[in-house]
Amino acid sequence: MAYITTGLTNGGITTHYAFSYDDSLQQTAANPTGPEPARTNALIAASEGDYNLLSGWFGGTVNDDVTGVKVQVSTLDDGANWGGSGTDSTVTLKPGGASYTDDAAYLRYLLVSEVSEIFMMVQNKGWFQGSNEGSKGEGLSRFLAARLLDVNGITELQLRTDYSTVSKWLNSGRADYVNNAPDDNGFDDVNGCTVLFMWYLFAQLSFTEKEIVAAAGATLADVYRTLTGASGDPFPFFKGLLDAVYPSTTGSAVAGPNPDNPWPLARHSFWVDKSTYGHDEVADLTASRNGSFPNALWLVVEGLNLRVLGTAQPALSGAALTFPAIGITAGASGPRYEAPGNANIPQRVRFPFDTSFTTGSLAGFPAVGSPPVLSELDGAITVGGNVANAATELEFVSGADPYFTNVNPVLGNVSWLSQDLRVFTATPALQAVPVPGGPTFGADDSAGAYVYIQALLAHLNSSYGNPAGTDPFDPSSNVIPGQADALTGDSSVTPFGGNPRSHNYNFAIARVRLRGTAGAAGQAAPVRVFFRLWSTQSTDTDYQPGSTYLSHQDTAALPDWPLAPADNHTIPMFATGAAPNFNDPNNAELGASGVNNRTITIASGDQQWAYFGCFLNVYDHANTVNNTPVTSVLTGSHHCLVAQIASDAAPIPSGGQVNATPSTSDKLAQRNLQLSTSDNPGSPATHVVPQTFDLRPSNESVSGEAFDDRPDELMIDWGSVPPGSTATVYWPQVDAATVVALAAALTPALPLTAVDAHTVQCEVVDGVTYLPIPSGPTERVAGLLTVDLPADVVKGQEFDVVLRRVRTRTIFTPPPIHIVKAPAASPATTSVGRTIDGNPGTPIATRPAPNAETNWRYVAGACQVKIRVSTAPEMLPAERDSLAIFKWRLGHTPSTDRWYPVLQRYVDLLAERVRGLGGDPDQIPPSLDGAPPLTGKGSEEGYVLEVHYDCQGHVTAFVLGTCCGSVTFTLSEAGLGELLLTAMRLRLRVEVVTCQDSDRQIEQVILRP
């Protein structure tokens, strides 16, 4: 057999090619069905256009270096191969054995596959690996050949299916050939992975062929990083998307029209903060307000970048929208992105939705005593022709029972700062009547505090029970003190206040509402309220009656009184004493006539308010929980506080797939706010803002359920925290590398890094960070969050960081892709040459109907950290007290306790903050009473020896030489810098007068000749 050019256009010569074909293929009288020369002429007619298309994808940079290519059309089957150099190469096409063997499009596909590899070799930027294209180049050549078909409108599905390698990888162990680039160009799982990743870059992330080719690198992961600007590992998330939709590793295949391209794939789910709506709370909101619950839920799209997502918006449908006069509308804030400044990187996008009601909605709620109504809400978003569906349920419950209304849209508060639970601080030595018109605070001690709260509750119930009258919680009413900025009433590190220093006492008051009929016919009894203080901040405020909300139960398994769990992560607080005798049915706390056990009767109209409360006894070392002093189990400076309505007639449901939370249940009210400060500009140490927090580990993963085999997550919304700040989370019980790996599999937008074995770090962006909570530890996980702010923050700025714990409701198993017939035998997979192989007759997969993701996610709890930028003189007294108290706590914590390493690091950070503010942490002993006050003002006199600046040119400190040595002073006022430089140049004598509360904080500078 010989290769001939008989009958070929221009003798088979084109600008870049010289074509010939096997003489046995020529159509003759003896071979009337021979495909040549017609087939090769059709190839010749398209070849230069295909070459120019390919050259354009390579940026036109190798056009003159790939020429004179000899193309031989053989009688062989199933592929093509080539050899030679850019200017002297031979491509052998082997189109036999296929149902489409006479189709010139087949030859065009094979030719572009091979010539693209010659281009890679000549380009020499990384796609070509040594002596052949290897796995990276093989993936690129198969991708570009398929794109040739697309561009020319060639829809030959059998050709695409026969040459698809994707199912090889899907039906394997799914090894990582994104970070690894073996010297393998075979028809195998290696190149199934590389082809899938090429289409991922193109269809999922919307990079062009030219962009992809130009981003050549040592691995496909390097290509991804060049294209996206990301620094993380793309493989775990890439694989996770595929695992979700194609969980089977024995029977998976991608349906047409392109069996190599399943993209774009998006996870689309509801993340629900407020799913339960009660008749009475809705009546409250619609009676005098706008009836809206802002950001009640989000539709979250995961896996796409902003180039692909574009302006696509999710659409809502379902039975929930037929509830009378309900409105579920897009939130005014618009979508929230993980990395809004990077349109190239795949990320989570949250689309917020508000729910609203009118008075016309009230008729849709179930009647009193009837079970809740569950109604499905559906969401869908269409991207790239693929539809992603989601579903959740909203619950509508009846009224006529005692309840909290946590959210007031007019006030703009959030569920974790309930309008019906308030805290305040009283300092009786300075104000004997803390609440105007209320009782006098008698004895200035803990016993006096218990007496006072009982008297105050009696006053509130007798004076402010009518909702039509004065609202004592409204800051403008001037009843409960400090409500305009109620940020310290849950503090355990401010034992003293005022001047002179006087004892502080913290209190909590809960307002319970009742709607119904006036008089005995509509009364609610008994109504009890339990108060629990968390040992620190926590997002774990969902109703867990076996631990967090542990209670003694009556014979009907209903809660009688609150108990502390064995690890004391929640602590019951009371109004009548540290340890009421609950075995006495007439005890003063929750007994028949107890201060926190009331019969609520509507005096007139259809509404009544009742007040319950407690003394937050956090400074008295005699107060114990589980035989341990409360002072030694507190691990934070501010604390989560939850009030629980315990009404036998309306118990909190438990045991379902979604636990009640203060956001969803009208029987729970929460205060969960941490106040922290940063200096302006000050020492770098004073910009590191630490906060302890506590949470439980994720549930163990559910084996075999790929889509939902993911942990709970902390969703950290950074608000207005300046981008470029850094944050770390220290979990001494957790392996940081595990957290980083989990995060990479869940979302690649903002990669986490492991600073050390137990510390994870991320960069703060103008968006959201997601931190996976691993499973594994058998006990709760102690943590320390630090936010390191930049030096240019300004006094008066405030930054609110919101942490939400997100859990998953149910398990979703996606359907398998159906195969229309059994696969044919595959060719050998050991090819090592410059080739492309196929498998003619491969069965074509069919596409099933899209399924809704019914495993929605919900917010189990939330807390907020408020960071205020202040100045050293304002910050230092509180920081000194905090250091003294936490030194005491650390000294009373066993070294084996889970909190010990967290408190140890926290004390170190506090010490550096005190030092940076001008104090001396070494002179502050451990003490529950805080740091000893510094008496009198200090004075040092000498000459300026040094003036210190930070990297941004801000003056931070100066050194004064005295007769006894030298003293370093911290500066927070930039204006002193020039003055001190002048004093140093002119050798002026300088007297520095320090503040009363610090021997290093400057109050006055005096210059003398």
Side-chain angles (χ1 to χ4, degrees):
M1 288 187 273
Y3 287 100
I4 62 175
T5 61
T6 304
L8 293 182
T9 304
N10 198 33
I13 304 300
T14 71
T15 303
H16 297 95
Y17 297 110
F19 291 92
S20 62
Y21 60 88
D22 189 293
D23 60 2
S24 67
L25 297 173
Q26 183 179 13
Q27 186 179 35
T28 64
N31 182 22
T33 60
E36 301 299 350
R39 181 177 61 174
T40 299
N41 277 333
L43 173 60
I44 290 171
S47 62
E48 288 300 327
D50 293 349
Y51 183 100
N52 291 335
L53 177 67
L54 186 61
S55 176
W57 288 339
F58 277 80
T61 57
V62 297
N63 192 45
D64 296 331
D65 298 319
V66 178
T67 188
V69 180
K70 304 176 186 67
V71 182
Q72 300 174 338
V73 181
S74 76
T75 59
L76 301 175
D77 296 346
D78 306 341
N81 69 293
W82 70 276
S85 65
T87 56
D88 184 16
S89 59
T90 299
V91 176
T92 302
L93 306 184
K94 300 181 285 186
S99 60
Y100 40 82
T101 188
D102 292 340
D103 189 344
Y106 183 23
L107 275 66
R108 293 172 67 184
Y109 173 85
L110 295 176
L111 181 59
V112 167
S113 297
E114 299 307 294
V115 174
S116 66
E117 294 170 6
I118 302 174
F119 272 60
M120 296 176 213
M121 178 183 68
V122 173
Q123 182 200 42
N124 194 28
K125 287 189 175 180
W127 288 111
F128 206 75
Q129 298 176 212
S131 62
N132 61 59
E133 67 274 19
S135 60
K136 298 194 310 295
E138 182 69 14
L140 179 62
S141 70
R142 288 178 179 271
F143 163 71
L144 293 178
R147 285 296 299 138
L148 168 81
L149 301 180
D150 294 339
V151 169
N152 288 280
I154 300 170
T155 58
E156 178 52 74
L157 181 56
Q158 190 64 58
L159 165 61
R160 294 173 183 267
T161 301
D162 291 347
Y163 278 82
S164 173
T165 55
V166 163
S167 61
K168 299 268 183 199
W169 184 78
L170 290 177
N171 298 308
S172 71
R174 301 187 180 179
D176 179 2
Y177 301 113
V178 173
N179 290 289
N180 302 291
D183 186 9
D184 183 322
N185 61 359
F187 187 68
D188 55 22
D189 63 311
V190 175
N191 294 303
C193 179
T194 60
V195 169
L196 268 170
F197 197 78
M198 299 304 305
W199 284 102
Y200 175 73
L201 296 174
F202 178 78
Q204 182 83 5
L205 303 184
S206 193
F207 293 108
T208 66
E209 301 91 343
K210 185 175 181 179
E211 288 174 317
I212 293 170
V213 169
T219 65
L220 290 180
D222 291 325
V223 174
Y224 168 88
R225 284 187 276 265
T226 298
L227 290 168
T228 63
S231 59
D233 179 358
F235 179 75
F237 185 72
F238 158 80
K239 179 177 180 293
L241 287 173
L242 293 163
D243 288 346
V245 180
Y246 303 96
S248 172
T249 57
T250 57
S252 287
V254 177
N258 184 347
D260 280 337
N261 180 20
W263 315 103
L265 298 176
R267 288 176 174 169
H268 189 219
S269 57
F270 282 101
W271 290 25
V272 183
D273 192 17
K274 176 70 173 174
S275 60
T276 300
Y277 301 91
H279 174 280
D280 293 341
E281 66 172 340
V282 168
D284 278 351
L285 261 67
T286 57
S288 58
R289 306 181 188 97
N290 63 5
S292 175
F293 294 88
N295 295 333
L297 56 89
W298 299 276
L299 267 170
V300 178
V301 179
E302 305 177 60
L304 305 176
N305 64 14
L306 304 189
R307 293 167 63 135
V308 172
L309 185 61
T311 59
Q313 295 282 326
L316 300 182
S317 60
L321 295 181
T322 65
F323 189 85
I326 194 173
I328 305 180
T329 55
S333 61
R336 186 74 167 157
Y337 307 102
E338 274 186 278
N342 188 341
N344 295 327
I345 194 167
Q347 57 186 284
R348 283 174 173 164
V349 181
R350 293 184 301 162
F351 293 89
F353 287 86
D354 304 338
T355 57
S356 61
F357 300 88
T358 71
T359 53
S361 304
L362 299 177
F365 286 88
V368 176
S370 298
V373 172
L374 296 176
S375 192
E376 183 171 315
L377 179 65
D378 300 312
I381 191 166
T382 302
V383 179
N386 286 357
V387 179
N389 295 311
T392 187
E393 286 181 335
L394 302 185
E395 183 180 41
F396 304 97
V397 300
S398 62
D401 53 54
Y403 66 98
F404 295 122
T405 295
N406 290 317
V407 176
N408 183 341
V410 174
L411 297 178
N413 73 300
V414 287
S415 61
W416 57 88
L417 293 176
S418 170
Q419 66 166 333
D420 280 345
L421 178 61
R422 300 302 177 101
V423 293
F424 74 96
T425 300
T427 312
L430 304 178
Q431 177 58 267
V433 183
V435 173
T440 299
F441 197 129
D444 189 354
D445 54 27
S446 293
Y450 283 115
V451 172
Y452 174 72
I453 185 60
Q454 295 174 63
L456 178 60
L457 292 175
H459 168 68
L460 293 174
N461 279 299
S462 64
S463 304
Y464 300 102
N466 183 358
T470 300
D471 180 353
F473 289 178
D474 187 335
S476 64
S477 69
N478 196 32
V479 178
I480 304 300
Q483 294 310 297
D485 194 13
L487 302 179
T488 58
D490 57 356
S491 168
S492 62
V493 293
T494 53
F496 295 95
N499 188 13
R501 283 165 58 98
S502 304
H503 287 284
N504 285 332
Y505 302 89
N506 298 336
F507 301 94
I509 301 173
R511 172 173 54 198
V512 176
R513 303 163 184 255
L514 182 67
R515 280 181 175 268
T517 305
Q523 71 183 20
V527 178
R528 290 157 295 161
V529 174
F530 304 160
F531 294 87
R532 292 180 176 88
L533 190 75
W534 272 242
S535 63
T536 184
Q537 295 297 113
S538 178
T539 56
D540 293 348
T541 53
D542 53 332
Y543 189 63
Q544 301 274 350
S547 57
T548 303
Y549 292 85
L550 191 65
S551 299
H552 181 275
Q553 296 184 338
D554 63 17
T555 55
L558 296 173
D560 268 337
W561 60 80
L563 299 172
D567 66 354
N568 298 319
H569 72 272
T570 58
I571 307 163
M573 292 287 166
F574 306 107
T576 58
N581 179 14
F582 291 116
N583 292 316
D584 178 2
N586 295 313
N587 71 83
E589 184 73 29
L590 295 170
S593 300
V595 67
N596 281 320
N597 181 1
R598 296 180 178 277
T599 296
I600 305 177
T601 304
I602 299 174
S604 61
D606 63 354
Q607 300 178 60
Q608 188 72 25
W609 289 346
Y611 299 89
F612 301 75
C614 70
F615 166 40
L616 300 174
N617 189 355
V618 294
Y619 299 123
D620 183 359
H621 196 56
N623 183 20
T624 62
V625 56
N626 287 332
N627 299 316
T628 303
V630 168
T631 50
S632 63
V633 301
L634 299 176
T635 54
S637 57
H638 286 68
H639 305 268
C640 172
L641 174 70
V642 174
Q644 172 192 349
I645 297 175
S647 172
D648 293 350
I652 300 174
S654 64
Q657 291 180 330
V658 177
N659 293 323
T661 72
S663 173
T664 63
S665 174
D666 62 7
K667 302 299 184 291
L668 299 171
Q670 175 185 0
R671 299 284 302 182
N672 211 345
L673 175 68
Q674 164 73 25
L675 175 65
S676 300
T677 54
S678 171
D679 197 6
N680 164 48
S683 160
T686 65
H687 289 248
V688 178
V689 182
Q691 164 61 42
T692 63
F693 68 103
D694 186 34
L695 45 72
R696 62 180 181 269
S698 293
N699 295 335
E700 291 293 335
S701 299
V702 180
S703 176
E705 303 294 350
F707 187 82
D708 201 50
D709 193 12
R710 51 184 170 175
D712 295 356
E713 295 177 75
L714 277 183
M715 180 170 67
I716 307 175
D717 194 328
W718 296 110
S720 58
V721 174
S725 304
T726 57
T728 62
V729 171
Y730 174 47
W731 276 331
Q733 300 154 272
V734 172
D735 177 50
T738 299
V739 177
V740 171
L742 284 171
L746 291 167
T747 173
L750 301 170
L752 306 176
T753 56
V755 178
D756 58 40
H758 304 290
T759 305
V760 175
Q761 179 175 288
C762 68
E763 182 178 343
V764 174
V765 297
D766 183 18
V768 182
T769 296
Y770 298 90
L771 185 69
I773 304 170
S775 57
T778 57
E779 57 184 352
R780 296 180 65 84
V781 179
L784 178 65
L785 168 69
T786 62
V787 180
D788 191 352
L789 297 174
D792 58 356
V793 292
V794 179
K795 179 184 178 181
Q797 286 182 298
E798 288 190 354
F799 310 114
D800 289 321
V801 181
V802 177
L803 290 77
R804 296 178 176 91
R805 183 183 187 125
V806 181
R807 306 196 71 201
T808 305
R809 179 184 184 274
T810 59
I811 302 300
F812 167 73
T813 304
I817 301 295
H818 300 291
I819 306 296
V820 296
K821 61 179 180 177
S826 299
T829 60
T830 56
S831 172
V832 217
R834 300 166 177 180
T835 67
I836 181 169
D837 296 327
N839 182 25
T842 301
I844 297 173
T846 59
R847 183 185 299 271
N851 284 262
E853 182 188 335
T854 53
N855 56 327
W856 67 85
R857 311 195 81 187
Y858 69 97
V859 177
C863 67
Q864 177 179 334
V865 178
K866 179 181 286 293
I867 303 173
R868 280 183 170 170
V869 182
S870 184
T871 61
E874 296 172 351
M875 292 172 58
L876 184 59
E879 292 295 320
R880 295 178 71 250
D881 285 342
S882 293
L883 178 59
I885 291 170
F886 273 95
K887 280 185 174 182
W888 185 94
R889 291 176 181 173
L890 177 62
H892 287 74
T893 301
S895 60
T896 55
D897 190 278
R898 66 188 177 99
W899 277 104
Y900 186 85
V902 172
L903 294 180
Q904 194 171 42
R905 184 174 289 194
Y906 188 54
V907 166
D908 290 343
L909 290 173
L910 286 178
E912 290 306 308
R913 281 169 62 88
V914 167
R915 195 185 314 278
L917 293 169
D920 186 351
D922 299 330
Q923 299 302 312
I924 299 175
S927 173
L928 282 176
D929 291 331
L934 295 174
T935 58
K937 298 180 180 180
S939 176
E940 297 282 357
E941 190 169 343
Y943 296 95
V944 177
L945 303 180
E946 300 173 9
V947 179
H948 295 182
Y949 294 82
D950 64 18
C951 62
Q952 295 183 330
H954 298 118
V955 178
T956 59
F958 71 96
V959 178
L960 189 72
T962 69
C963 293
C964 300
S966 64
V967 183
T968 301
F969 294 95
T970 300
L971 280 178
S972 59
E973 296 298 332
L976 283 176
E978 289 299 322
L979 182 67
L980 293 167
L981 285 174
T982 300
M984 184 168 65
R985 284 195 299 267
L986 300 179
R987 293 289 292 169
L988 299 178
R989 194 157 187 82
V990 177
E991 181 183 359
V992 178
V993 180
T994 55
C995 300
Q996 182 166 339
D997 288 329
S998 171
D999 57 357
R1000 292 292 182 270
Q1001 193 60 48
I1002 299 169
E1003 181 178 271
Q1004 191 176 25
V1005 175
I1006 303 170
L1007 303 183
R1008 296 189 178 91

